[in-house]
Amino acid sequence: MAVISASVRKDRMGPTIADWIVAALGSSADVDLIDLADTLLPDDSLLYPGGGPKSAVADRIDAADAFVFVMPEYNHSYPASLKRLIDWHYAEWRLKPATIVAYGVHGGYPAIEQLRGVLAEFNVVTTRRVIGLPAPWASLDEQQRYAPDDGLSSRLAGCLNELRWWATCWPTHAEPAPSRRRTDLAGLRRTPTRLIKEFWCSTGTCKHHNLLINRVRGAEAWGGHDGAGARRRERRAPAPVFTVGQSD
C-alpha cells in the first residue's frame, strides 16, 4: 500500500499526517511512504498523453495494490505536485483502489471531490469513506505528532478497512477493460453477494450495501453487445437502483 504525501512546502503537515496513517495501518499492510518533496519527476516538456519517460517512482507506484493520498487543500483544489505525479504515470494507476485524506482550514473536502474525478479517468475506484481534517495543526501533541480525538481515529480505521476490502476484490494488474463494454466490474461479479453484505455490516454500514450490490447486478444484467439477442436483453434489463447513503 502506497501512502503518498503530496505537499512540498517547507512548513507542512503532510508528513505528520502520513505518519499517523502509517501507524494506523500497522502490520496489516506493507506500506511504502512516498513523499513528493523528495520525488524528482522528469521535465514536463517530455510528457505526452498516457505518460512519458519512466520516472524514479514508477516502479513503486506500479508495485502498490492500493493508495492513500494525503494532501492539503489549495484554493479549493489539490496541489500541483500531486497533479504532476498523476500525469507522469498511467498504467501504474489503472484498476486499483484509493482513499483520500485531505486537510485544510475547513477540512479539504473540495480538493477531495476534485481528485475523485481525475482518478476516475484511470479506472481508480475511490472509497466512499474519505477523511477531511480541519486545522490539524491544532491537534499536535508534545512531540509534534498528530493526535486527533478517538472519533477521528475510528473514522480513519473504517476508511482503511474499506480500502483493504477493495484491494482484495478489485482485479488489480488486470488487462485494460474494453472501453465500450460494461465489463469494468468483472472482478466484483465474482464476489458473492454474501461477502459484500458481510463487509458493509462489519464496518457498521449494512444499510448501504445495496448500492454496491445493485451496481454488480446491473453490470451482470447488461452483459455484452453481441447482436440482436444481446440488445433484447439490454431492453429487458432493469436499471440499476442506487440508494442514498448517510454521511459519516
Side-chain angles (χ1 to χ4, degrees):
M1 187 175 296
V3 177
I4 299 174
S5 179
S7 176
V8 297
R9 294 182 177 179
K10 288 185 177 180
D11 298 324
R12 55 196 177 120
M13 282 292 301
T16 302
I17 296 172
D19 289 342
W20 172 61
I21 295 169
V22 171
L25 286 167
S27 60
S28 65
D30 294 328
V31 179
D32 182 11
L33 179 57
I34 300 176
D35 188 344
L36 297 194
D38 301 326
T39 302
L40 182 63
L41 296 173
D43 188 270
D44 284 351
S45 64
L46 303 175
L47 183 62
Y48 57 82
K54 189 174 182 179
S55 75
V57 292
D59 289 339
R60 295 168 67 183
I61 296 174
D62 187 56
D65 292 321
F67 305 102
V68 181
F69 292 97
V70 183
M71 62 181 193
E73 176 191 354
Y74 296 158
N75 301 318
H76 279 216
S77 190
Y78 51 90
S81 55
L82 180 56
K83 188 60 165 66
R84 289 193 71 227
L85 180 76
I86 293 172
D87 289 347
W88 267 101
H89 306 90
Y90 188 75
E92 293 88 350
W93 303 115
R94 283 181 61 82
L95 294 172
K96 296 179 183 180
T99 194
I100 307 169
V101 178
Y103 58 94
V105 175
H106 301 294
Y109 284 103
I112 291 174
E113 295 309 314
Q114 292 257 355
L115 184 58
R116 281 188 193 271
V118 173
L119 294 177
E121 183 65 19
F122 299 88
N123 290 313
V124 171
V125 58
T126 51
T127 59
R128 174 187 173 273
R129 289 175 178 78
V130 291
I131 303 293
L133 306 175
W137 45 85
S139 299
L140 301 177
D141 62 14
E142 295 179 355
Q143 287 75 39
Q144 297 301 299
R145 296 173 300 189
Y146 184 54
D149 56 39
D150 292 340
L152 194 51
S153 297
S154 177
R155 287 178 55 201
L156 176 64
C159 183
L160 296 177
N161 283 340
E162 185 177 346
L163 182 64
R164 291 189 195 96
W165 184 84
W166 277 110
T168 57
C169 77
W170 199 251
T172 57
H173 304 289
E175 291 296 323
S179 60
R180 296 188 180 182
R181 296 182 64 186
R182 299 195 175 194
T183 56
D184 288 346
L185 295 177
L188 286 179
R189 290 203 298 272
R190 295 192 296 269
T191 303
T193 300
R194 174 182 57 82
L195 295 181
I196 298 174
K197 290 182 178 180
E198 287 177 358
F199 163 73
W200 289 114
C201 291
S202 68
T203 55
T205 56
C206 56
K207 294 181 181 179
H208 312 311
H209 72 268
N210 286 337
L211 174 62
L212 182 56
I213 293 173
N214 286 328
R215 287 191 67 190
V216 175
R217 288 176 176 168
E220 289 176 336
W222 275 91
H225 297 269
D226 54 356
R231 287 192 291 271
R232 285 195 296 271
R233 287 197 300 273
E234 289 178 15
R235 287 196 294 268
R236 292 197 304 268
V241 178
F242 293 88
T243 59
V244 179
Q246 299 174 351
S247 59
D248 289 335

